[in-house]
Amino acid sequence: RKVPQPGRPQSPTPARAVRPRRARSLVERWLDWRWSAWTSPLLVLALWVAATELALAPEQILVPPWQVLVSGWELAESGELGEHVWISLSRLLSGFGFGSVLGVAFGLAAGLTPRLDAYTAPTFQVLRQIPSVALIPLFILVFGIGENFKVVIVAKASFFIVAPAGHGAVKHLPA
């Protein structure tokens, strides 16, 4: 900013030039439209319909979308869909509950005890990198194929997410 000097007349500041608006492309206008989030799902559905109509894969592998809707409707009417959804949700919630409780306990203990953190951090970081899918054969051997196996897979996944969060929360508390 210029400081006015005594004895010199001050020139008026020039008005800002108004730039003409640039014409927006079709893509920009589409992305601003509030229904544009439906683009990807509708494209996937259109590709699915086209693939089934052109018989790009056998019907045993790629079922037409309307057949999926009919089967879903029949399962919902019979009550079987609700039963299976309830069973899946109970597995998910119990596995997440177990994994979260153990993760919070471990994270807090490791965050509050530097010695425990030093002992367990290397092993924890190695085990954390193993994908849950890679452990499925081992978990089947140990827990069998029943409900326990499914709950343990979810608990393992949630434990390794919650434990570092609890550890970090305690570690960064002001003294």
Side-chain angles (χ1 to χ4, degrees), residues 6-22:
R8 292 188 121 190
Q10 196 161 354
S11 63
T13 57
R16 290 182 100 181
V18 178
R19 294 186 345 209
R21 277 194 160 181
R22 176 177 66 86

Side-chain angles (χ1 to χ4, degrees), residues 101-114 116 162-171 173:
V101 167
L102 293 174
V104 166
F106 178 78
L108 292 178
L112 293 172
T113 315
L116 177 67
V162 174
H167 179 270
V170 171
K171 201 76 167 165
L173 282 176

Side-chain angles (χ1 to χ4, degrees), residues 55-71:
L56 296 178
E59 194 171 316
Q60 295 85 1
I61 294 175
L62 188 62
V63 180
W66 48 87
Q67 191 174 345
V68 172
L69 286 175
V70 168
S71 297

Side-chain angles (χ1 to χ4, degrees), residues 38-169:
W38 287 92
T39 303
S40 294
L42 290 176
L43 282 175
V44 168
L45 182 63
L47 289 172
W48 183 9
V49 168
T52 57
E53 288 296 321
L54 297 172
L56 296 178
E59 194 171 316
Q60 295 85 1
I61 294 175
L62 188 62
V63 180
W66 48 87
Q67 191 174 345
V68 172
L69 286 175
V70 168
S71 297
W73 185 260
E74 290 170 357
L75 287 173
E77 280 184 333
S78 70
E80 197 175 346
L81 182 63
E83 179 184 339
H84 291 295
V85 166
W86 173 249
I87 291 170
S88 295
L89 278 175
S90 64
R91 284 182 199 139
L92 178 71
L93 293 175
S94 60
F96 181 73
F98 289 137
S100 296
V101 167
L102 293 174
V104 166
F106 178 78
L108 292 178
L112 293 172
T113 315
R115 179 177 267 170
L116 177 67
D117 189 25
Y119 287 140
T120 60
T123 306
F124 178 83
Q125 293 303 329
V126 167
L127 293 176
R128 181 178 166 198
Q129 302 307 315
I130 301 172
S132 297
V133 173
L135 292 173
I136 287 177
L138 176 66
F139 284 175
I140 288 174
L141 288 174
V142 173
F143 300 106
I145 198 118
E147 291 296 312
N148 291 341
F149 156 72
K150 298 163 190 167
V151 170
V152 168
I153 285 287
V154 175
K156 183 263 180 203
S158 61
F159 173 82
F160 284 104
I161 292 172
V162 174
H167 179 270

